[in-house]
Amino acid sequence: MAKLLHLSIFFLAALVLQCHCAEDDRKSHVVYMGDRPKDAASVASTHHNMLAEVLGSSSEARESLIYSYGKSFNGFVAKLSDKEVARIKEMEGVVSVFPNAQLQVHTTRSWDFMGLPESHPRLSAEGDVIVGLLDTGVWPENPSFSDEGFDPPPAKWKGICQGANNFTCNKKVIGARFYDLENIFDPRYDIKSPRDTLGHGSHTASTAAGIATNASYFGLAGGVARGGVPSARIAVYKVCWASGCTSADILAAFEDAIADGVDLLSVSLGSDFPAPYHEDVIAIGTFHAMKNGILTSCSAGNSGPNRRQVSNYAPWALTVAASTIDRIFSTKVVLGNGQIFLGNSLNIFDLHGKTFPLIYSGDSANYTAGADPELAAWCFPGTLAPLITKGGVVMCDIPNALALVQGSAGVIMPVSIDESIPFPFPLSLISPEDYSQLLDYMRSTQTPTATILMTEPVKDVMAPTVVSFSSRGPSPITPDILKPDLTAPGLNILAAWSPLGGASISPWDDRTVDYFVISGTSMSCPHVTGVAAFVKAAHPSWSPAAIKSALMTTATIMDSRKNADAEFAYGSGQIDPLKALNPGLIYNASEADYVNFLCKEGYNTTLVRIISGDNSTCPSNELGKAWDLNYPTFALSLLDGETVIATFPRTVTNVGTPNSTYYARVSMPSQFTVTVQPSVLSFSRVGEEKTFTVKITGAPIVNTPIVSGSLEWTNGEYVVRSPIAVFNNMPSIFSSIDEQPQSKPKFKGPWEGSTSTIYHKKGTFKSMQRTDRTDGFGGLVSNSRLGYHKH
């Protein structure tokens, strides 16, 4: 599919600068040394001495050392040349050295749609749950973060509030930190404090745990905005700035969050490039969180609908896709001949039904300013002749956030997207096919006219469906682990915002809002975090894997007829908060299980320790499939023509009722045989474990995208469902775990195409012709502020 990618001048300049760096120039690297040192007090001096040995002097070591980790794991960040990196790698105790890359963040009716109404009874224990978020910070004065009626923070809280630049915490937002080890702070857009200047962090925090408050976007989508656990506490870790989020900052935030005592983590950011687990900073951070009893929910990414693009695919993390709710926004275009076209935007401007001349931008070139029809079609400022476009509805050929049609009554642009885009003037986005019809009408009519109606909320009877931008599986690293894990609402979500974040996509918009509507897996991720907190409050002793299993095995089954990619789009299905409280059975897993998984994937003891940070060892050198991991899903990845035969051992733990018997029920197309042994599991007590195997056999398959089935364990009261996916696939992206991507991973920030389709006043449309693909900013929004790249 053809796609024009227009990067900002800043981003292009950054590339040029990068290309002209001398090969041996020192760049920031993370030196990872495993688990927390026994003598944490001397860790910084140890790191300094190591650098002094490599660099040749104590003064150079001081200049090189940027940060030392020591609270939750051991390591440091330093500026090193390639030769110095090679020497550091050979030093005793060093298990991994990788570049300090950049990531990108992935964006109230949704809770009602998921079946968790505001009226549902709440547990007092929710007030003791602490939700940590790695994001762009928070705007603590937003009504969603009021602490009225809250008790002091739980005694287990060990964190701090970095109150720089007039930032204060309260009994709701109990902790806040900010990180900028690479000094990427930009005073034009950023504030050196945990304060959110972009909006993304406030949005995700309020979605997960904001209090209930009346909200709307200029009267649109009005109602009560609330998080999944309104009484939970929030701790924010600002790792993302206007220009991105660095891996060193992300790792530092994981370390602090673990030490601070958070119960759950929400991470709505990810990398463009897949990497082996031992070189993936989020995989390492989430592993340490898991070791400490913390489940991390991660956004799946916004690179759909192409396959194998899913981010954050580590099996110990919970990977979240994005789906619709039963509300969409419709912005109609009405022509002078009575024809009506359904458009998509967030248009709050009332033209009172008055029609205006319909004008084509290509016929309105400002020749005086040096523009031609081709350039005028973009509707960039100054390219249109104002005397021609004044008072008309202007048709712009290219979706463009910088569009400025002075004096016009409205604008129409062609693009097919799921998400609704806000502008500071009347605008409707219609399909390219409808746009062609408008052109035909305009060319064939002597005095063509049109008007744009205000946006109206419309019930979406097809919901839930996975949105096109949501990244699809299978996992590029371990396809036998089904990813994403599940899906949650991520389209047109209203939540808290920063007044500095802008009120629309346009850079010409000076309005401010406290609540904003955005889309992305960044928005679905905190929904799942909120449900995980809901379950954690009810079951505080459950492990991360137990909570994850409860969310996955109780998910609502999605309709594959409406989602062609089936489980690669939605995993186990759409999350169901109330059912997740009582799953009946759970698939548990410990650190040892994940270590065994890594060993069978080909990681030797040295590489395993890079991830685990402790003295874990591989029990044997025997390679194997991921089928042995006690995962709540079953995925069988096959090369073309490979024989279909696989056995999956599993263990379930009874968390339902004692003296209960579960019966296996398999659903699978007849071309495969699925045998469950034993097919009946009887439990006499809560906490009892039972083991079984699932064997899948069948004739070889060729060029088969996916065949879907399921295993259900039911006792008449509970239904514990696990999807089965059999498919043809290419070998893993890395045939060897020692291979690395040619391009260094860039961690995406909130405006960088991101895992949210963010609309910001520094943003621009990503110009492209598409009918079914949404990239980082949903195929529209791309290079805001400092030119973030797509996710």
Side-chain angles (χ1 to χ4, degrees):
M1 185 179 300
K3 179 173 69 171
L4 298 175
L5 199 59
H6 296 271
L7 300 175
S8 72
I9 293 174
F10 176 89
F11 186 55
L12 289 173
L15 290 176
V16 171
L17 288 172
Q18 186 178 31
C19 292
H20 285 84
C21 287
E23 183 176 342
D24 287 334
D25 279 354
R26 286 175 178 166
K27 301 184 182 73
S28 176
H29 287 75
V30 177
V31 180
Y32 180 62
M33 301 176 65
D35 212 356
R36 185 172 67 88
K38 293 181 180 179
D39 185 9
S42 63
V43 66
S45 61
T46 300
H47 298 158
H48 176 272
N49 293 338
M50 291 173 64
L51 284 170
E53 180 180 341
V54 171
L55 302 181
S57 72
S58 180
S59 60
E60 282 200 70
R62 280 195 298 270
E63 292 180 6
S64 172
L65 185 62
I66 297 173
Y67 188 82
S68 286
Y69 305 107
K71 283 180 280 188
S72 301
F73 40 81
N74 190 7
F76 59 92
V77 184
K79 292 181 179 179
L80 302 168
S81 69
D82 291 344
K83 291 180 181 179
E84 290 158 355
V85 166
R87 290 192 62 191
I88 287 280
K89 284 183 175 179
E90 299 300 320
M91 300 185 78
E92 183 180 357
V94 174
V95 291
S96 180
V97 181
F98 48 87
N100 182 18
Q102 283 194 338
L103 296 182
Q104 182 180 63
V105 294
H106 285 173
T107 186
T108 340
R109 170 80 194 128
S110 54
W111 290 108
D112 288 328
F113 178 66
M114 290 190 294
L116 185 58
E118 188 179 1
S119 59
H120 185 77
R122 294 293 184 153
L123 298 172
S124 59
E126 289 182 17
D128 292 328
V129 175
I130 303 170
V131 177
L133 299 103
L134 275 61
D135 215 296
T136 67
V138 71
W139 193 270
E141 294 83 7
N142 187 284
S144 289
F145 308 118
S146 169
D147 67 350
E148 184 177 351
F150 276 74
D151 293 327
K156 63 183 178 182
W157 174 244
K158 302 179 182 67
I160 65 171
C161 182
Q162 285 184 283
N165 287 313
N166 201 32
F167 181 94
T168 58
C169 296
N170 58 24
K171 289 180 286 186
K172 175 65 175 176
V173 180
I174 61 174
R177 299 176 185 262
F178 65 98
Y179 306 82
D180 188 19
L181 299 177
E182 282 293 287
N183 195 30
I184 63 175
F185 162 81
D186 188 327
R188 294 174 299 170
Y189 311 124
D190 297 319
I191 296 175
K192 274 209 166 182
S193 81
R195 185 170 297 282
D196 179 15
T197 62
L198 305 177
H200 189 275
S202 299
H203 201 281
T204 56
S206 64
T207 299
I211 69 166
T213 182
N214 290 322
S216 72
Y217 176 73
F218 293 109
L220 191 62
V224 176
R226 58 188 171 91
V229 277
S231 59
R233 314 306 176 106
I234 293 172
V236 297
Y237 301 84
K238 181 176 176 179
V239 296
C240 296
W241 303 79
S243 59
C245 344
T246 70
S247 53
D249 289 343
I250 292 165
L251 205 56
F254 269 112
E255 179 185 46
D256 283 336
I258 293 167
D260 288 346
V262 303
D263 294 300
L264 300 132
L265 280 169
S266 190
V267 178
S268 288
L269 50 90
S271 174
D272 262 341
F273 302 98
Y277 301 117
H278 68 291
E279 295 176 358
D280 182 340
V281 68
I282 292 183
I284 293 172
T286 54
F287 193 98
H288 281 269
M290 174 273 300
K291 282 176 55 177
N292 286 273
I294 301 166
L295 174 62
T296 307
S297 303
C298 298
S299 49
N302 285 3
S303 296
N306 291 348
R307 294 192 174 195
R308 286 166 57 105
Q309 300 297 311
V310 65
S311 297
N312 301 323
Y313 34 72
W316 46 85
L318 182 56
T319 312
V320 186
S323 47
T324 60
I325 60 175
D326 60 346
R327 179 192 65 195
I328 56 177
F329 296 111
S330 175
T331 305
K332 296 176 182 177
V333 173
V334 182
L335 303 185
N337 64 4
Q339 269 190 291
I340 298 176
F341 295 92
L342 298 181
N344 190 7
S345 70
L346 292 175
N347 177 38
I348 61 168
F349 302 98
D350 190 357
L351 299 180
H352 305 288
K354 182 182 178 181
T355 59
F356 303 87
L358 186 61
I359 300 167
Y360 176 55
S361 57
D363 297 335
S364 311
N366 188 348
Y367 292 102
T368 303
D372 58 23
E374 185 177 354
L375 185 58
W378 288 71
C379 294
F380 278 134
T383 61
L384 302 179
L387 293 179
I388 299 177
T389 59
K390 184 177 180 180
V393 173
V394 180
M395 299 174 62
C396 300
D397 277 353
I398 309 295
N400 170 26
L402 292 175
L404 183 63
V405 188
Q406 291 178 324
S408 70
V411 174
I412 300 171
M413 296 178 181
V415 67
S416 293
I417 58 171
D418 295 311
E419 58 271 35
S420 298
I421 310 292
F423 274 78
F425 45 78
L427 177 137
S428 183
L429 304 168
I430 63 176
S431 71
E433 295 78 12
D434 288 347
Y435 189 82
S436 295
Q437 291 189 50
L438 260 69
L439 281 173
D440 291 341
Y441 162 75
M442 189 194 67
R443 299 298 190 200
S444 62
T445 305
Q446 188 172 1
T447 55
T449 60
T451 191
I452 300 172
L453 303 186
M454 291 181 69
T455 297
E456 297 177 317
V458 178
K459 186 173 180 63
D460 182 6
V461 296
M462 295 291 286
T465 59
V466 176
V467 289
S468 63
F469 60 72
S470 185
S471 292
R472 265 64 169 175
S475 165
I477 301 299
T478 312
D480 286 315
I481 297 294
L482 184 61
K483 289 288 181 172
D485 290 309
L486 43 67
T487 188
L491 182 69
N492 297 333
I493 304 301
L494 176 74
W497 198 246
S498 166
L500 301 181
S504 73
I505 185 178
S506 174
W508 324 117
D509 191 353
D510 292 327
R511 298 172 301 165
T512 63
V513 290
D514 291 327
Y515 291 86
F516 198 50
V517 176
I518 50 176
S519 303
T521 54
S522 275
M523 283 60 257
S524 57
C525 174
H527 278 96
V528 171
T529 305
V531 179
F534 184 56
V535 175
K536 179 75 172 179
H539 305 285
S541 64
W542 279 12
S543 69
I547 297 174
K548 179 176 177 178
S549 173
L551 301 182
M552 293 170 64
T553 60
T554 60
T556 301
I557 302 172
M558 300 279 281
D559 188 345
S560 60
R561 294 171 299 179
K562 297 185 289 185
N563 301 271
D565 295 308
E567 283 78 12
F568 292 151
Y570 49 69
S572 297
Q574 169 115 340
I575 195 166
D576 187 324
L578 294 184
K579 285 186 179 179
L581 280 181
N582 296 291
L585 305 175
I586 56 168
Y587 294 80
N588 214 343
S590 65
E591 178 190 358
D593 295 315
Y594 295 119
V595 167
N596 186 56
F597 155 80
L598 290 169
C599 296
K600 290 198 171 184
E601 284 286 287
Y603 287 74
N604 58 31
T605 294
T606 299
L607 294 177
V608 166
R609 289 178 178 178
I610 291 175
I611 301 166
S612 68
D614 55 26
N615 294 322
S616 296
T617 58
C618 288
S620 74
N621 294 323
E622 182 182 354
L623 300 182
K625 296 282 191 176
W627 305 337
D628 288 354
L629 183 62
N630 200 38
Y631 215 69
T633 59
F634 303 90
L636 178 54
S637 173
L638 301 165
L639 300 177
D640 280 342
E642 188 176 352
T643 301
V644 180
I645 180 168
T647 300
F648 301 80
R650 292 292 189 268
T651 299
V652 287
T653 304
N654 180 25
V655 294
T657 54
N659 301 314
S660 56
T661 300
Y662 286 80
Y663 299 88
R665 185 167 60 201
V666 173
S667 173
M668 198 71 188
S670 58
Q671 67 191 104
F672 301 112
T673 299
V674 178
T675 305
V676 181
Q677 190 64 243
S679 60
V680 178
L681 301 177
S682 295
F683 299 88
S684 60
R685 59 181 175 82
V686 174
E688 185 178 0
E689 296 181 346
K690 293 288 183 180
T691 297
F692 64 95
T693 60
V694 174
K695 186 175 183 179
I696 305 173
T697 58
I701 58 174
V702 176
N703 200 30
T704 301
I706 188 169
V707 178
S708 301
S710 65
L711 165 65
E712 293 179 347
W713 288 104
T714 179
N715 69 344
E717 181 180 2
Y718 301 108
V719 176
V720 185
R721 181 181 182 275
S722 295
I724 301 173
V726 182
F727 53 95
N728 286 126
N729 191 37
M730 297 167 59
S732 173
I733 282 180
F734 302 108
S735 58
S736 165
I737 57 174
D738 294 324
E739 294 180 17
Q740 298 184 31
Q742 294 301 308
S743 301
K744 294 176 181 177
K746 176 179 171 65
F747 287 84
K748 299 179 179 180
W751 312 109
E752 198 161 354
S754 95
T755 53
S756 62
T757 59
I758 299 197
Y759 325 121
H760 191 268
K761 65 180 180 180
K762 303 297 180 186
T764 60
F765 269 123
K766 181 161 290 182
S767 169
M768 60 185 297
Q769 302 297 320
R770 69 182 277 284
T771 57
D772 64 349
R773 188 174 193 277
T774 304
D775 60 15
F777 282 115
L780 277 178
V781 190
S782 168
N783 311 307
S784 69
R785 291 199 181 247
L786 298 178
Y788 284 63
H789 58 76
K790 88 175 185 70
H791 192 134

